[in-house]
C-alpha cells in the first residue's frame, strides 16, 4: 500500500514531549486515539477524546502495569496485513479493529542506570510491552506507521497534512528502520547491564 489512511492510532509514551500537539493534530483530523496509563491521562487532561487500552482488550492492566498491551485485540490490530484478505477476514471474525499508527517510546533504561538502582529495581525498568509494540509495528510497516521518537512528530504531521491523512510508504519504511535501530540499542544496553551486574 503506497499511501496508508490513518484513522486509528495507539499512543503509549514515556517521553511525552510534543505529545499534546501530535494528539491534537490527529484528533482534529478524526483519528481515533487509543492509549494507556499516564499517556492517556495527559491526553484526557488536554481535553482530547481517548479510548483506554483496557476498553479495547476487555481486560485491566495487571501486575503493576507489566501486562496491558500484550493482547490479541492490540497485536492483531497491529500485525494485520491490510493487503491480505485472509488477515482482514481474521480480524473481522474476532472483532479486532486495525491500527494504522503506533506512537511508542521506551522506558528510559539509561536514566535508571545513571541512578545506580539495585538489580530488582532495574529489572522493573525493562520495558516489554513497548519494544513488542514497536517491533510488531515496524515489521508491518506496509500496513502501519510506527513513530518511535518525538523527533519524528513534525515530519509525520507534515507528511499526513500534505497527503490527506495518508502516510506514504517511504516514511513508513524510514520510521520502521529507525524503530529496529532503537529497539536494538535498547536491548544492547540491557544485555550489557545484566552481563555486568
Amino acid at each position: 500500500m503506497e499511501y496508508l489512511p490513518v484513522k486509528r492510532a495507539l499512543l503509549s509514551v514515556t517521553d511525552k514531549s510534543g505529545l499534546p500537539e501530535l494528539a491534537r493534530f490527529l484528533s482534529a483530523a478524526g483519528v481515533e486515539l487509543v492509549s494507556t496509563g499516564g499517556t492517556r491521562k495527559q491526553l484526557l487532561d488536554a481535553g482530547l477524546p481517548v479510548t483506554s487500552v483496557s476498553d479495547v482488550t476487555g481486560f485491566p492492566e495487571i501486575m503493576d502495569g507489566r501486562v496491558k498491551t500484550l493482547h490479541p485485540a492490540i497485536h492483531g490490530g497491529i500485525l494485520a496485513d491490510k493487503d491480505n484478505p485472509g488477515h482482514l477476514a481474521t480480524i473481522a471474525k474476532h472483532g479486532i479493529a486495525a491500527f494504522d499508527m503506533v506512537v511508542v517510546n521506551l522506558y528510559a533504561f539509561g536514566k535508571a542506570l545513571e541512578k545506580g538502582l539495585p538489580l530488582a529495581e532495574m529489572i522493573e525498568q525493562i520495558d516489554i510491552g513497548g519494544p513488542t509494540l514497536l517491533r510488531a509495528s515496524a515489521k508491518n510497516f506496509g500496513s502501519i506507521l510506527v513513530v518511535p521518537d518525538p523527533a519524528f512528530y513534525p515530519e509525520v504531521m507534515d507528511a499526513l497534512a500534505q497527503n490527506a491523512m495518508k502516510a506514504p510508504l517511504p516514511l513508513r519504511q524510514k520510521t520502521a528502520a529507525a524503530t529496529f535501530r532503537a529497539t536494538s540499542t535498547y536491548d544492547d544496553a540491557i544485555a550489557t547491564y545484566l552481563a555486568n551486574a
Side-chain angles (χ1 to χ4, degrees):
M1 180 180 313
E2 187 67 27
Y3 287 92
L4 170 75
V6 175
K7 300 176 183 175
R8 190 169 189 243
L10 174 64
L11 302 94
S12 182
V13 297
T14 298
D15 179 353
K16 295 179 176 57
S17 57
L19 178 67
E21 294 79 10
L22 175 66
R24 278 193 203 95
F25 168 82
L26 294 172
S27 185
V31 177
E32 178 192 355
L33 307 180
V34 178
S35 193
T36 60
T39 304
R40 180 171 177 266
K41 182 181 184 310
Q42 183 169 1
L43 298 179
L44 289 171
D45 289 348
L48 296 170
V50 57
T51 302
S52 168
V53 161
S54 294
D55 289 339
V56 174
T57 63
F59 205 86
E61 293 185 16
I62 59 173
M63 300 177 195
D64 303 315
R66 278 189 172 195
V67 180
K68 50 193 170 194
T69 58
L70 299 170
H71 192 281
I74 301 298
H75 286 277
I78 289 172
L79 284 163
D81 178 349
K82 294 183 176 90
D83 290 323
N84 183 325
H87 285 198
L88 297 179
T90 297
I91 63 173
K93 175 183 176 182
H94 294 286
I96 297 171
F99 286 99
D100 309 302
M101 182 174 180
V102 169
V103 182
V104 170
N105 54 63
L106 304 172
Y107 296 170
F109 191 78
K111 289 183 181 177
L113 275 174
E114 292 169 8
K115 294 178 183 175
L117 299 174
L119 178 62
E121 291 181 40
M122 285 301 299
I123 295 300
E124 294 308 316
Q125 299 303 310
I126 298 175
D127 197 332
I128 299 300
T132 305
L133 291 168
L134 286 170
R135 289 175 56 82
S137 303
K139 171 180 177 170
N140 199 30
F141 71 87
S143 292
I144 200 160
L145 169 62
V146 60
V147 186
D149 191 292
F152 285 109
Y153 295 176
E155 182 178 2
V156 164
M157 288 189 284
D158 186 54
L160 292 176
Q162 287 184 26
N163 293 286
M165 292 307 289
K166 294 177 181 177
L169 181 58
L171 173 63
R172 299 191 324 261
Q173 186 167 337
K174 174 183 176 178
T175 60
T179 295
F180 280 118
R181 248 183 239 109
T183 57
S184 174
T185 300
Y186 188 78
D187 284 343
D188 184 63
I190 294 167
T192 300
Y193 167 75
L194 290 176
N196 296 290

